[in-house]
Amino acid sequence: MSAHLDGSYNSSRDSANSQNSTSRQSHFNSFNAAPLPSLLQVKSKFDAEWRRFSIPTQTGAPNYDAFRRLVEKLHHLSGVQFTLCYNANSGDLLPITNDENLRKSFDSARPLLRLLIQRKGESWEEKYGYGTDSERKRKGLSSLITTQKTPKRNYSISNPEDFRQVSAIIDVDIVPEAHRRVRLCKHGSDRPLGFYIRDGTSVRVTERGVVKVQGIFISRLVDGGLAESTGLLGVNDEVLEVNGIEVQGKTLDQVTDMMVANAHNLIITVKPANQRNTLSRGPSTATNAGQPPTSRSHANLNLGGTANSSYDGGYHPRAAAAAAARGDSDSGSDDEVIDYHHK
Amino acid sequence: MFKYIRQRLESGRSASDIHFSSFVDWKKSNRYGFPYNTSCMAYDPVLKVLALGTKEGDIVLSGYPGVFWEVTVSGKGAAKEVKQLYFMNGTGYFIALFRDGGFTRYKINGSKIREDMSTIDARMKSATSCHSARRFPDESPIIYIGTVSGNVYSLLPSTMEVHEFFTFDNVRRELESDEEIKNALAQFSSKVSSLCVKPDDPSLMLIMLGRSVALLMSANHMVASIRVPVEVNDVVWDKKSDNIFMAHTDGQFTTWKAKTFYTGGHYFEKQETHELFGPYPCDEMTRLAVLNNETRTNNKPHIPLVAYMGVTVRHAGKTLVYQFASKVLDIIGAECLEDGTKLRKDVLLVLTEYELVAIDIADERWRAMTQQVFFPLNASPITAQLTCSSIEEHVWRSLLKMSEVYWKQKDLSDRQYPMTAGMESKISAERDSRGVNRQLFITGHFDGRVTFWATTPYSMRQLFILKTSDLFKDEEEKTVTGTLSSKASGMSLPVMEVGEYDEYCDDERLSIVLLNFDPKTGAFVCTNRCGAILVYSYYDEDVCLKLESKTIKWELEGTKPNLAKVQPLYPRREAVYFPAGYQPFRTGLDAKYVQLAPCVPIKTLSYHADLHMLAVGSMFGYALLDYRKYAVVENVFLGDNVPGDALNMTLNRFRSMKKSIRQTFRRKNRSSTPNTTVDITSDPEETFRPVERKIEGRATASDGPPPNYVTCIKVLRIPTTNPACLDDVVAIGTSQGSVIIYKLHEPKTAIAITAYKWRELRLSHGAPIVEIDLSCEAGNSPSPQQRLMVFTEEQIRGFSVPDLRSTRIKYKITSVEGTRIKNAAVVKLPLKRDPGEHDMFACVVTNSGTVNIHSLSSPRKRVEHEVFKPSDIAGMNSAQITQEGELSYLGYGGQELHKEVISAHSRRWLEPMKGVVLESLNRS
């Protein structure tokens, strides 16, 4: 494979970051700006497999369908639903879904076009929108350099056929059948979570027989709120855990504070008052249909496992709590430092 | 290489295997101040110990200041309320009678009090009066208990057995043969209202039935009875004069004698009637005590009498009325022998609801004595408090000097309190001049006074009071304690106001909001509710000063009607005299104080005593001020999105309480009228909805963005440019989770300090900042492990300096535990077995009432200790943690100061020497 070096190849991510703002601004108007090399090198990754190949571009950019078929063939992905993403210059991971963004992706081939193939429903980006995690991944050298914070994006990039996830039932394989673990993703939206909790008593079966214990329940849902619109939480559902931490023995105010503190990524384990929907039926339609629940829950676990290890999340009794840890750790590095001295 | 490996190993130890037990050891150490809800007292003239019992079930014993025992009664609720205390004089035993009729015998056992034996007798529930007396001179005393039925029981302290001593029914027929007595018993019931035993002949006893019938008993046989014309509240049988004193409900007292016929029979004879307050009946006389002041020529007893809200002392035609601001509960004439002459010079101890006052009867003017124990902490309600430890020696000396001057001008008798138990060992302990003994506790009060207390580990002593109200114009002159003044209200008797306690104040603007003390220079700052900031410094000379105000102004958008109501206090026009000691800070003769406009209370403040830089933050913004030049260096307005109601609430808390009481009465009046119509318009679901909480992210709070105000200001020394050199910075924490850091520059020329904004740290979770501190001790050389610790309500975070990067010191307490941080401090705890080694910890007070100690190297590791009830908000808010690992907080609404020791090592020297060996006890 011949290497076509046009321009400087930036290997370190910090310089890529320094170009953040300029590349963002040229996102729409630089469609035909850079001349394409005659042979485009591609490095694609699916799970742990890597492929290197090149595509001729003399005859113009290949169309999306052909490109997708090529990738499918190379990685033997027939029968697997997958998404295509590439590492953009800005450091963002952006989707390839049509001819136009395929053509756009070639701009980032310096000299390699780095493709990431993921199973549909597994990627972070599908849940939270593409291009949102560049801040999250700024670790190592690049984070040492204090740059002007890029302005928060107010549009979201996603696959056209996808909707941004607002809620999900997760960890179906480890949560008892009668319980349900729900993630409410408030990401970026200003829609209120919209529910109330109250004190109450619930019945537990213990070694000493059936005992009444204090519990926390959902008392009502606000019309038009996130909780109501997902349909995953109902009035009188008992709240068992908040982001992997048991609420047993905590007061109403403590649980309220826990939920508010985790509001950006709230994971509640509930025991639904209406048990008809928990045992027989799998995940509700609000999540991505078409995937067997076990594989998706696996995906969540994997994500939790590979997420930035948390030093602060405190005590995580179960693997499920890793989800909480991830929720914690990604927000931590959102702190801003404004340096007036360097200005 | 070896060094490197050793370093790695050492750091590994502190990071992973922290044994909290080798650093942390909780121990309740001491309580200071007048015990809350005190109900009774007793004095042991042999051991010279005073005991106070409380309705909360605590018994506190005090000898010489600092000699201190405490015991909490087992049991709960109202049952453990201590009703009476009796000392078995000289034996170290004492007996407490509880509300539920139980008796417990305690023994002073070294530093502790041992619960010795207890008995419970249902008959004692209805006890109405008690008296302890010896039956034979060398026998231990017996407690006689009179009950509501008219029976008298005797309790033998040695066996704790209760015997029937006198049964009313046995003498009922005999008594009712007298028509007058029969009527009196029918009218006033037959309960034993009071009883006393003849001191030198314990076989004779006087029993008052129904406050109107006096019975004389000789070895449990009734020998005489009489109907007393005016009801009797108290009887005392004086040893010296053999008189029986009766205190009457009409304000008189009478003296009687129990005489014997030559045939052997007994009879009563009235000697004298003393009318204290003119010809008309006035306040009831509730208690009566006889004191002796023996001189070579005169040894007639004084008779102090208690009437509601006052105590009267009468001796040889001279009468003096003492006025207290709180209700008088009891009086004791404490027997005291003068050292050389062995003459009796008794001390009158007056127990009121909020303080203990001792009056020196041997003094020519019968003055009150200089307070030594059980200081009333909340003499005026406490509105601010501050604990300072490790005060520099020269500062401490000047504080002591001020204290000396203060007490001298108070015109009090400087006689030693009669409680002298453990005096010898205590005095030697007080000579100990280690830094730990130089602790200061400062309280700001509602009436504008600031009280300085010296709290050594053993005792707490009032140093002096600064009256900030003196500086302002509309201040009312109050009668100084100890001065004699005749009341113009028709009463011709001389009246002396004694005691510190005074809960009333006219102007709430005077109340102190915040205090700041610099232990290195002694500079002291206090601010009051209307936004005046006073900086005090120590001066050696007296001075007359005219104060002026310097205004820091924040321009508000729009008008806030509630703000306009609060007017600033104006300084006095004429010069004010200040004695040597704390005087307003000045350059030359130009003394100023800072006034905020609008007049809002300050939320936080910090004073850099070396640079004279004052940083203040309020609900509108913050300002940095060069106090030497009175120049505002920086003034930033953060916004006025404070809801007007909240402001109103903070300023008019007391007024609104009055209002709510008024409303309660109105509601009561209204509900008394029959009202049959039921309000059906209200939604039944609305009324029966359970307590619920709305779950909502912070950013989407329904009432707009959360208010932005300053919550914390700290002056720190951190490296800002060169890691090897420290700079002075001011860190300002806001309610929206930002830390704004200003760098200070002291110019060499005479112009004011300059400050410029260096960095701003915006925390993504946006919770209010509670505390900013450094993870290592402030030293002259910076340490590479130095972290800027930021405590928000929800998280503990450590940031590297100078680039303020997030480090792995991070703990999200609210996400994980659901509790919020109320108060935080970085503490340095030495290792128990090797005090030379120490580690730094973060100590946080949470809103669930626990105090958590987190390891700073991995904050996830922590120990928790329950200190407060979750409802004790006042206690949590007042909690302060010193760097040495000592927690102090106000208990019972500010009436007591409680201390707890965190550090395992410092326990040894912070623990009070509660039990000093009582030599007198050992001898007996």
Side-chain angles (χ1 to χ4, degrees):
Chain A
M1 252 177 246
S2 61
H4 290 258
L5 297 167
D6 67 330
S8 61
Y9 171 59
N10 297 314
S11 61
S12 74
R13 198 170 275 154
D14 47 342
S15 52
N17 275 322
S18 64
Q19 290 174 4
N20 253 358
S21 49
T22 51
S23 71
R24 283 255 168 84
Q25 280 155 13
S26 62
H27 193 260
F28 296 109
N29 53 26
S30 67
F31 193 72
N32 291 314
L36 279 175
S38 59
L39 211 58
L40 183 82
Q41 293 188 45
V42 184
K43 185 180 177 183
S44 65
K45 178 181 181 273
F46 175 69
D47 284 355
E49 288 178 40
W50 298 83
R51 298 279 186 280
R52 267 172 180 266
F53 58 95
S54 56
I55 34 176
T57 52
Q58 283 92 343
T59 55
N63 74 354
Y64 170 69
D65 289 332
F67 181 73
R68 194 180 161 92
R69 273 197 300 278
L70 177 68
V71 173
E72 190 175 339
K73 207 177 89 191
L74 282 170
H75 279 278
H76 310 290
L77 289 174
S78 56
V80 181
Q81 288 198 323
F82 64 94
T83 59
L84 277 177
C85 307
Y86 70 99
N87 275 323
N89 276 341
S90 57
D92 290 337
L93 195 66
L94 298 177
I96 301 175
T97 52
N98 54 30
D99 290 350
E100 279 186 10
N101 53 24
L102 177 64
R103 171 68 186 79
K104 177 68 193 145
S105 71
F106 294 169
D107 288 348
S108 299
R110 301 183 178 210
L112 274 172
L113 174 65
R114 289 151 192 273
L115 274 187
L116 179 67
I117 304 155
Q118 286 167 296
R119 281 195 184 84
K120 199 166 165 65
E122 275 189 7
S123 67
W124 167 274
E125 285 71 24
E126 279 173 271
K127 286 192 191 83
Y128 298 119
Y130 286 86
T132 52
D133 62 338
S134 60
E135 306 301 326
R136 179 173 61 109
K137 286 184 175 166
R138 267 179 55 197
K139 280 277 148 81
L141 262 183
S142 67
S143 56
L144 287 178
I145 293 165
T146 49
T147 52
Q148 181 65 37
K149 183 98 178 178
T150 51
K152 282 245 160 79
R153 185 179 291 162
N154 50 10
Y155 53 91
S156 81
I157 306 167
S158 61
N159 287 324
E161 72 268 30
D162 291 344
F163 293 94
R164 198 179 60 74
Q165 198 179 41
V166 290
S167 64
I169 299 183
I170 57 170
D171 297 342
V172 182
D173 52 346
I174 50 171
V175 174
E177 280 186 334
H179 298 172
R180 182 191 287 160
R181 184 169 290 167
V182 178
R183 185 214 306 269
L184 296 176
C185 315
K186 228 178 81 60
H187 210 89
S189 76
D190 46 2
R191 204 166 172 194
L193 287 169
F195 65 99
Y196 288 77
I197 55 171
R198 63 167 170 87
D199 275 321
T201 47
S202 87
V203 178
R204 292 275 158 81
V205 182
T206 64
E207 291 163 357
R208 285 172 290 133
V210 179
V211 286
K212 272 191 176 177
V213 288
Q214 290 291 312
I216 304 289
F217 295 85
I218 293 174
S219 68
R220 63 185 160 122
L221 303 173
V222 178
D223 287 344
L226 196 61
E228 194 234 7
S229 66
T230 65
L232 298 181
L233 299 173
V235 174
N236 293 336
D237 288 1
E238 187 184 356
V239 178
L240 302 170
E241 288 176 1
V242 176
N243 285 46
I245 289 144
E246 275 191 45
V247 301
Q248 175 78 49
K250 290 196 162 34
T251 63
L252 182 65
D253 286 323
Q254 280 181 315
V255 178
T256 308
D257 282 344
M258 280 169 79
M259 287 188 176
V260 170
N262 289 312
H264 58 278
N265 181 31
L266 187 60
I267 299 166
I268 317 177
T269 311
V270 291
K271 186 179 172 194
N274 182 359
Q275 285 284 339
R276 267 185 306 169
N277 291 335
T278 53
L279 295 166
S280 54
R281 286 176 55 187
S284 86
T285 48
T287 65
N288 286 301
Q291 282 291 309
T294 43
S295 79
R296 201 183 55 253
S297 70
H298 252 299
N300 277 305
L301 274 179
N302 286 343
L303 263 178
T306 53
N308 314 325
S309 58
S310 84
Y311 299 101
D312 51 277
Y315 133 101
H316 304 299
R318 272 178 291 271
R326 185 191 55 214
D328 276 356
S329 52
D330 72 307
S331 71
S333 49
D334 279 355
D335 303 332
E336 285 179 62
V337 177
I338 300 169
D339 197 339
Y340 294 99
H341 186 48
H342 287 278
K343 266 187 177 175
Chain B
M1 190 62 204
F2 175 68
K3 247 186 196 171
Y4 172 76
I5 291 170
R6 197 177 58 182
Q7 215 173 4
R8 291 293 301 197
L9 283 175
E10 272 177 10
S11 65
R13 176 194 63 81
S14 60
S16 52
D17 333 299
I18 292 156
H19 298 295
F20 279 103
S21 58
S22 53
F23 290 101
V24 178
D25 189 3
W26 279 93
K27 169 95 182 161
K28 239 189 161 146
S29 86
N30 215 340
R31 51 196 272 184
Y32 307 98
F34 184 75
Y36 177 69
N37 248 344
T38 300
S39 53
C40 56
M41 68 172 171
Y43 176 71
D44 185 335
V46 183
L47 286 183
K48 304 205 177 297
V49 173
L50 181 80
L52 298 184
T54 76
K55 287 182 184 167
E56 308 296 310
D58 294 325
I59 302 170
V60 184
L61 272 71
S62 172
Y64 189 75
V67 183
F68 187 82
W69 296 266
E70 188 190 339
V71 66
T72 303
V73 178
S74 47
K76 54 180 176 178
K80 61 178 188 175
E81 182 183 323
V82 184
K83 272 179 91 176
Q84 296 279 346
L85 285 170
Y86 293 101
F87 271 106
M88 304 293 104
N89 290 353
T91 58
Y93 285 100
F94 65 95
I95 287 179
L97 161 63
F98 303 110
R99 197 197 171 99
D100 62 351
F103 285 88
T104 304
R105 189 173 74 185
Y106 294 93
K107 165 107 173 91
I108 304 173
N109 192 8
S111 66
K112 291 201 170 55
I113 289 180
R114 185 159 49 91
E115 195 176 314
D116 199 51
M117 205 189 261
S118 59
T119 175
I120 188 157
D121 196 318
R123 294 174 294 187
M124 299 302 124
K125 254 185 189 169
S126 51
T128 51
S129 59
C130 295
H131 188 79
S132 97
R134 283 183 164 78
R135 201 155 42 173
F136 303 107
D138 45 354
E139 200 191 53
S140 71
I142 292 176
I143 297 173
Y144 296 99
I145 304 129
T147 62
V148 76
S149 58
N151 298 346
V152 176
Y153 299 91
S154 65
L155 176 84
L156 282 169
S158 50
T159 55
M160 297 295 284
E161 280 169 19
V162 178
H163 296 285
E164 217 158 72
F165 177 75
F166 160 75
T167 315
F168 173 67
D169 283 338
N170 293 350
V171 293
R172 180 190 286 268
R173 182 163 297 173
E174 196 181 332
L175 278 175
E176 285 180 356
S177 59
D178 186 330
E179 199 61 31
E180 212 179 338
I181 290 177
K182 189 182 175 186
N183 290 341
L185 288 176
Q187 192 184 345
F188 297 109
S189 84
S190 65
K191 73 167 187 187
V192 180
S193 61
S194 50
L195 49 105
C196 65
V197 175
K198 189 174 180 184
D200 49 358
D201 179 10
S203 62
L204 279 182
M205 181 194 266
L206 179 76
I207 297 174
M208 288 300 304
L209 290 181
R211 303 206 289 183
S212 57
V213 178
L215 308 181
L216 186 66
M217 311 283 298
S218 173
N220 67 14
H221 293 291
M222 189 178 78
V223 288
S225 60
I226 192 168
R227 161 85 164 96
V228 184
V230 188
E231 286 152 72
V232 177
N233 276 328
D234 194 20
V235 284
V236 172
W237 206 321
D238 182 38
K239 184 176 178 181
K240 188 156 261 175
S241 57
D242 201 26
N243 278 336
I244 298 167
F245 292 91
M246 289 187 184
H248 295 281
T249 51
D250 63 350
Q252 298 178 347
F253 73 97
T254 47
T255 48
W256 298 70
K257 265 206 155 67
K259 293 197 168 168
T260 320
F261 292 119
Y262 58 93
T263 52
H266 296 267
Y267 69 101
F268 281 112
E269 193 181 77
K270 191 170 174 181
Q271 304 280 308
E272 266 182 285
T273 302
H274 300 266
E275 285 190 5
L276 284 175
F277 304 110
Y280 306 107
C282 50
D283 277 351
E284 272 189 45
M285 190 179 295
T286 51
R287 297 277 290 141
L288 193 147
V290 181
L291 287 102
N292 286 288
N293 175 28
E294 292 176 340
T295 54
R296 297 266 175 244
T297 51
N298 163 32
N299 52 9
K300 262 179 102 178
H302 293 256
I303 306 148
L305 323 139
V306 177
Y308 179 68
M309 294 296 262
V311 171
T312 310
V313 173
R314 189 179 176 97
H315 169 67
K318 181 180 159 192
T319 307
L320 182 59
V321 178
Y322 295 90
Q323 283 233 317
F324 297 88
S326 55
K327 190 181 165 186
V328 174
L329 298 175
D330 200 1
I331 52 171
I332 282 185
E335 277 177 45
C336 272
L337 293 181
E338 203 176 43
D339 277 347
T341 55
K342 298 286 169 210
L343 291 171
R344 273 205 37 194
K345 303 268 185 201
D346 290 357
V347 170
L348 173 64
L349 295 175
V350 183
L351 180 75
T352 77
E353 266 181 317
Y354 295 104
E355 58 189 334
L356 175 83
V357 177
I359 290 160
D360 185 7
I361 299 301
D363 183 66
E364 263 177 36
R365 286 187 286 146
W366 298 348
R367 287 178 301 180
M369 283 155 62
T370 309
Q371 191 94 30
Q372 285 159 11
V373 288
F374 298 126
F375 286 93
L377 253 182
N378 59 342
S380 166
I382 293 179
T383 49
Q385 69 282 325
L386 182 76
T387 311
C388 286
S389 60
S390 306
I391 288 163
E392 292 282 315
E393 211 161 345
H394 70 277
V395 176
W396 191 252
R397 271 199 302 273
S398 46
L399 286 170
L400 292 182
K401 215 190 280 173
M402 275 187 261
S403 167
E404 217 170 281
V405 173
Y406 171 79
W407 285 106
K408 213 165 263 174
Q409 55 92 19
K410 286 272 279 188
D411 190 30
L412 295 170
S413 157
D414 53 0
R415 193 175 151 192
Q416 176 62 40
Y417 264 32
M419 295 87 83
T420 52
M423 188 158 105
E424 299 85 1
S425 51
K426 215 69 232 186
I427 286 174
S428 61
E430 270 175 8
R431 290 211 188 94
D432 188 356
S433 60
R434 277 178 306 179
V436 65
N437 282 348
R438 298 194 296 269
Q439 272 194 34
L440 197 61
F441 179 61
I442 311 173
T443 51
H445 298 263
F446 186 63
D447 64 352
R449 75 173 101 168
V450 178
T451 317
F452 285 71
W453 310 86
T455 55
T456 66
Y458 322 114
S459 62
M460 185 169 84
R461 178 163 73 92
Q462 187 177 324
L463 286 176
F464 54 91
I465 292 175
L466 266 187
K467 279 194 171 173
T468 61
S469 50
D470 286 347
L471 307 178
F472 299 105
K473 213 190 279 175
D474 44 5
E475 198 262 336
E476 238 179 81
E477 280 299 322
K478 291 235 165 71
T479 328
V480 186
T481 308
T483 51
L484 280 168
S485 65
S486 265
K487 279 241 162 156
S489 56
M491 207 194 288
S492 57
L493 290 168
V495 172
M496 189 189 271
E497 282 185 22
V498 283
E500 288 281 342
Y501 185 81
D502 180 15
E503 60 181 324
Y504 304 105
C505 172
D506 300 328
D507 199 341
E508 61 193 6
R509 291 177 302 172
L510 287 171
S511 73
I512 304 292
V513 175
L514 262 180
L515 301 163
N516 188 297
F517 184 83
D518 182 39
K520 296 215 162 48
T521 59
F524 165 70
V525 188
C526 64
T527 78
N528 62 23
R529 183 166 274 186
C530 74
I533 306 161
L534 300 156
V535 179
Y536 284 90
S537 213
Y538 182 79
Y539 292 93
D540 280 325
E541 286 144 18
D542 302 9
V543 78
C544 275
L545 279 182
K546 213 176 127 184
L547 234 67
E548 282 168 44
S549 71
K550 160 90 190 167
T551 312
I552 296 181
K553 206 169 162 80
W554 283 291
E555 293 293 344
L556 302 187
E557 296 144 11
T559 51
K560 300 258 171 186
N562 290 323
L563 281 178
K565 273 189 215 159
V566 186
Q567 291 293 316
L569 289 162
Y570 295 103
R572 290 190 168 200
R573 282 215 194 89
E574 70 277 21
V576 184
Y577 168 76
F578 294 96
Y582 270 138
Q583 295 165 7
F585 176 81
R586 58 187 185 266
T587 41
L589 273 174
D590 183 23
K592 283 190 184 168
Y593 71 92
V594 177
Q595 172 68 50
L596 300 190
C599 306
V600 286
I602 279 166
K603 291 258 175 207
T604 173
L605 113 157
S606 193
Y607 185 65
H608 192 301
D610 293 334
L611 296 177
H612 300 285
M613 210 280 313
L614 181 73
V616 294
S618 78
M619 58 177 80
F620 297 117
Y622 58 88
L624 309 181
L625 187 107
D626 185 340
Y627 209 80
R628 214 165 12 182
K629 305 279 182 302
Y630 304 113
V632 179
V633 176
E634 183 81 26
N635 183 0
V636 174
F637 177 67
L638 287 175
D640 62 347
N641 45 4
V642 181
D645 294 344
L647 192 68
N648 197 22
M649 216 161 59
T650 56
L651 285 171
N652 296 323
R653 194 164 45 124
F654 292 86
R655 214 170 285 160
S656 67
M657 199 172 96
K658 222 189 275 171
K659 200 173 150 192
S660 76
I661 291 171
R662 209 183 303 136
Q663 274 169 351
T664 315
F665 276 107
R666 276 193 199 142
R667 219 175 298 134
K668 260 197 146 167
N669 289 343
R670 220 181 297 142
S671 62
S672 63
T673 56
N675 190 357
T676 48
T677 56
V678 181
D679 193 6
I680 47 165
T681 51
S682 65
D683 182 12
E685 215 172 277
E686 201 71 44
T687 45
F688 294 117
R689 181 167 288 159
V691 179
E692 56 179 16
R693 298 279 184 274
K694 190 173 188 180
I695 307 298
E696 206 170 355
R698 206 189 309 276
T700 54
S702 53
D703 45 353
N708 193 13
Y709 54 84
V710 181
T711 51
C712 170
I713 291 188
K714 248 327 205 329
V715 177
L716 303 167
R717 276 176 76 78
I718 56 169
T720 53
T721 43
N722 180 357
C725 123
L726 295 172
D727 294 301
D728 285 306
V729 297
V730 178
I732 295 151
T734 71
S735 61
Q736 288 183 347
S738 322
V739 179
I740 305 160
I741 302 182
Y742 277 86
K743 208 167 145 180
L744 300 179
H745 269 286
E746 191 185 15
K748 296 212 166 54
T749 50
I751 53 165
I753 309 167
T754 52
Y756 66 87
K757 221 178 194 176
W758 177 57
R759 258 164 211 189
E760 180 170 347
L761 178 69
R762 285 188 194 149
L763 298 177
S764 59
H765 67 292
I769 308 282
V770 174
E771 173 77 16
I772 305 165
D773 209 343
L774 294 175
S775 67
C776 297
E777 259 185 306
N780 290 324
S781 58
S783 137
Q785 273 91 46
Q786 185 76 286
R787 297 280 178 266
L788 182 73
M789 297 299 302
V790 177
F791 298 88
T792 72
E793 275 187 11
E794 298 183 354
Q795 302 186 355
I796 300 170
R797 301 289 297 271
F799 293 90
S800 62
V801 282
D803 43 9
L804 299 187
R805 267 190 304 117
S806 182
T807 64
R808 23 184 229 104
I809 304 177
K810 182 153 123 188
Y811 184 63
K812 301 185 174 177
I813 187 165
T814 312
S815 293
V816 178
E817 291 167 39
T819 51
R820 290 172 166 270
I821 297 177
K822 289 222 103 169
N823 208 330
V826 176
V827 296
K828 174 188 166 188
L829 303 181
L831 199 61
K832 198 194 276 180
R833 56 184 155 78
D834 180 12
E837 247 188 87
H838 61 84
D839 206 349
M840 305 300 287
F841 294 86
C843 190
V844 299
V845 181
T846 66
N847 67 345
S848 61
T850 58
V851 176
N852 301 355
I853 299 166
H854 296 264
S855 156
L856 267 195
S857 41
S858 64
R860 202 201 301 184
K861 297 197 169 118
R862 61 177 179 86
V863 281
E864 195 177 290
H865 188 80
E866 245 176 73
V867 177
F868 306 98
K869 284 180 197 153
S871 56
D872 184 12
I873 308 285
M876 284 181 229
N877 286 343
S878 68
Q880 292 187 53
I881 305 144
T882 65
Q883 226 207 348
E884 290 81 22
E886 198 185 19
L887 172 79
S888 59
Y889 55 92
L890 295 175
Y892 299 121
Q895 202 174 324
E896 290 180 25
L897 174 72
H898 293 235
K899 284 201 172 188
E900 295 198 17
V901 184
I902 299 166
S903 164
H905 168 69
S906 51
R907 229 184 92 171
R908 216 154 30 88
W909 40 262
L910 287 177
E911 204 178 326
M913 276 176 58
K914 281 180 182 170
V916 214
V917 180
L918 291 186
E919 280 162 23
S920 44
L921 182 61
N922 286 357
R923 275 200 298 273
S924 65

